[in-house]
Each structure stands twice: as C-alpha cells, then as structure tokens.
Amino acid sequence: MPASLIDGKAIGAAVRAEIKERTGEFTARTGVRPCLAAVLVGEDPASRVYVRNKGKACVEAGMLSRQVDLPPSTSEKELLDLVARLNADASVHGILVQLPLPKHIDESKVIEAIAPSKDVDGFHPVNAGRLLIGQPGFVACTPLGILKILDHEKVVLKGAHAVVVGRSNIVGKPVAILLLSRHATVTICHSRTRDLPDVVRSGDVVVAAVGKAEMVRGSWIKPGAVVVDVGINRLPDGKLVGDVAFDEARAVAGKITPVPGGVGPMTIAMLLHNTLEAAIRIASAG
Ligand code: NDP
C-alpha cells in the first residue's frame, strides 16, 4: 500500500486559522496588533516573492505588515542602523531580514544585530542556543513546522530513530534538536556521511534537507517510515521536486510529505506563530 500523503497545505491552513483567531483575541484584549517588519535588500525575484507572501499572510491573520525595501547598494552599516531602529520601535514585534543578503554584507552580523526578543526567524545565536539547552525562545520556522506536521500526524517520536539528512543552521541542526527534545534517537547526516543509504534505511522518521533533487531514493527508505521532504528544487523543465524521489519513496514509506504542498506551507504558518508569540511576550513583559 503506498504511503499516505501528509497534507502540509491543509495543516498550514489550520494553523493559520487558529493564529488568526488568537491574534483577534490578543488585539481585542490589549489593543495591540502584532507587527512583522520584513526587510528586503536587493532585487532577487525569489526573495521578493517570499517577502510579499509573508506580508500577505500577516495581513490575512489580522497582523500588521511593514516591508522595508532597500537597494542592492545598501551598506552593511545602513542595514545595521535600520535593524537598530526596528529593535527600538515598540510598534514592531517581529523583525525578519530576508536572506540571502548581497555579498558585501555580513549576514551573521545582521542576524546578531536583531533583538533576540524580535527574532521571529529564530536565527539569532541566543535563540539557537536556547533551543539547544531547552529554554524557551524562538525556533526557526521550517523546523518548527516540521515538528507541527509530525505532531499533527501523531507520529511517535519517543524512542524512534530519526535520521536528518542535512546539517544547516536553518533546517538540519534545529530540526535534529527538536526531535531530540521529543526523545527521538537522532542521527544527523551530511555530505561526508559514509554509507548514507544504509543510515537512512535505519530511520523510522527521515527528514531530508539537502537541496539535491530526488537524492534520497525509495530503496533507502525503511518500509513504513515517515518521510519529511524539506527540499525545494526546480528541474530544468520547470517542475518543482523535493530531495526525495517521491514516487519511489511513496511506494515504501508509511507517510510522506509531497513537494510542493508539504513542508513549504508550514514555514509561513510558523512565522505567524512566532510573530504572535513575540507580541504576546513583549506585551506581558512591559
Ligand atoms: P544547505 O545547502 O544550507 O544545507 C544542505 C545540507 O545538505 C548540508 O548540511 C550538506 O552537507 C548536506 N548535503 C549536501 N549534499 C549532500 C550529499 N550528497 N549527501 C548528504 N548530505 C548532503 O541547505 P538548507 O538546509 O538551507 O536547505 C535544504 C533544502 O531545503 C533546500 O532544497 C532548500 O531549498 C529547502 N528549504 C525549504 C524550506 C521550506 O520552507 N520548505 C525552507 C528552507 C530550506 P555539508 O554540511 O557537509 O555541506
């Protein structure tokens, strides 16, 4: 029997509807509308679409969206000054600087300049560190969305072997820590992992975040495993595929996320979650 499909679009829509309701209640109670400031430097068309979609999602959830567009020639200092102004602006609750930034700007400097309390992307070292030691903070949106999907599907993580392929700071590492916090036994794989197919084959849960079209084959999947495909890759013919060979893996897995319509829609939903959370924390602190 082929794997059942995990409908990230429907799960994401349900999360967004719930956040919209909670945002309405929060605003009615406090008079505050959560506000996300999104900063876009340069003219990368994909980044422009991402930022626009994030802004639209905020408005749909009853939040305010502020978009700051800066030219590609913006200096690092100008961007850092803008971040400092947004940090100090009490009407802004979440700050997002769309990556990648132009080459002359040091991304890590910019991320570290964002106040951890407004870092709704969860990329600041303080928030990454809090995740590592199990303290409350902001968790990066894609990993958080993956956990939400697994919870929605009632996947048993306690004692399960979770194999994460990819060790980036924005997906692989944080998702591994989240799975560990749920008592999974976690293996993190990367480009130097030996016998990768064998390691993946031992996973009850497999998270693929590699950025290589259809690299994880069906023969690598343990029968009945839960497969979460984070990858977004465009083939020369324009087709969008994940990091997992979907048809092959679906024939073996128990549950699987499609691409598109799996993890992707969860990322924006969790950004809204983090923005509402930021507004709630700021309101209760002050
Ligand atoms: P990165 O390029 O930052 O990281 C890729 C990871 O995969 C690295 O750790 C790398 O290993 C590992 N890797 C590369 N080649 C191999 C290989 N042959 N075997 C084993 N491991 C390998 O990518 P991201 O984590 O940023 O993104 C991963 C994918 O997820 C991309 O397709 C991206 O587009 C997508 N994505 C989707 C999101 C969504 O909302 N759905 C959000 C973010 C990303 P090493 O460290 O050794 O180099």
Side-chain angles (χ1 to χ4, degrees):
M1 207 171 63
S4 60
L5 276 190
I6 300 177
D7 187 348
K9 220 166 143 187
I11 304 169
V15 170
R16 284 167 66 162
E18 185 209 317
I19 289 166
K20 182 176 182 173
E21 200 181 315
R22 287 180 53 213
T23 300
E25 286 163 12
F26 171 75
T27 302
R29 185 162 44 81
T30 60
V32 174
R33 275 180 83 181
C35 172
L36 174 70
V39 181
L40 178 65
V41 186
E43 277 139 15
D44 178 59
S47 294
R48 194 163 284 282
V49 172
Y50 290 145
V51 169
R52 198 180 50 224
N53 288 344
K54 289 168 188 177
K56 238 171 75 188
C58 277
V59 173
E60 279 166 20
M63 302 182 188
L64 296 171
S65 154
R66 201 187 291 178
Q67 186 178 332
V68 187
D69 287 338
L70 299 174
S73 57
T74 303
S75 71
E76 186 178 280
K77 175 154 186 335
E78 285 168 323
L79 181 55
L80 291 172
D81 287 347
L82 170 68
V83 169
R85 285 199 300 279
L86 294 172
N87 283 341
D89 185 337
S91 67
V92 170
H93 305 97
I95 302 170
L96 173 160
V97 178
Q98 185 65 41
L99 302 179
L101 289 170
K103 295 227 175 331
H104 64 277
I105 299 178
D106 181 346
E107 277 184 6
S108 57
K109 239 189 207 171
V110 175
I111 291 169
E112 285 180 38
I114 297 171
S117 59
K118 296 189 178 186
D119 168 42
V120 287
D121 257 340
F123 295 162
H124 192 288
V126 164
N127 283 317
R130 284 183 181 151
L131 171 65
L132 191 67
I133 61 175
Q135 281 184 1
F138 290 109
V139 178
C141 301
T142 301
L144 198 57
I146 294 169
L147 196 67
K148 191 84 187 171
I149 279 181
L150 294 172
D151 283 345
H152 180 272
E153 296 295 314
K154 300 191 167 52
V155 174
V156 177
L157 295 173
K158 192 174 172 178
H161 184 201
V163 175
V164 178
V165 192
R167 57 173 164 181
S168 72
N169 289 333
I170 62 166
V171 188
K173 282 184 210 164
V175 83
I177 300 301
L178 284 174
L179 293 164
L180 185 64
S181 75
R182 292 298 189 80
H183 312 295
T185 301
V186 182
T187 301
I188 306 176
C189 305
H190 46 79
S191 64
R192 270 75 148 195
T193 297
R194 232 180 272 150
D195 304 324
L196 182 63
D198 284 342
V199 180
V200 173
R201 218 173 279 121
S202 66
D204 304 305
V205 176
V206 174
V207 178
V210 189
K212 297 240 151 78
E214 302 176 322
M215 188 190 83
V216 176
R217 311 307 309 186
S219 61
W220 301 16
I221 303 297
K222 182 192 216 174
V226 176
V227 178
V228 178
D229 190 351
V230 187
I232 305 174
N233 311 286
R234 202 169 281 282
L235 296 180
D237 65 3
K239 193 180 166 209
L240 216 55
V241 297
D243 291 340
V244 177
F246 180 79
D247 291 337
E248 287 177 24
R250 192 180 182 192
V252 188
K255 288 173 187 273
I256 188 165
T257 61
V259 176
V263 174
M266 297 305 294
T267 300
I268 286 191
M270 300 328 281
L271 176 67
L272 299 177
H273 165 90
N274 281 353
T275 304
L276 173 59
E277 207 51 47
I280 292 171
R281 289 181 200 170
I282 291 169
S284 59

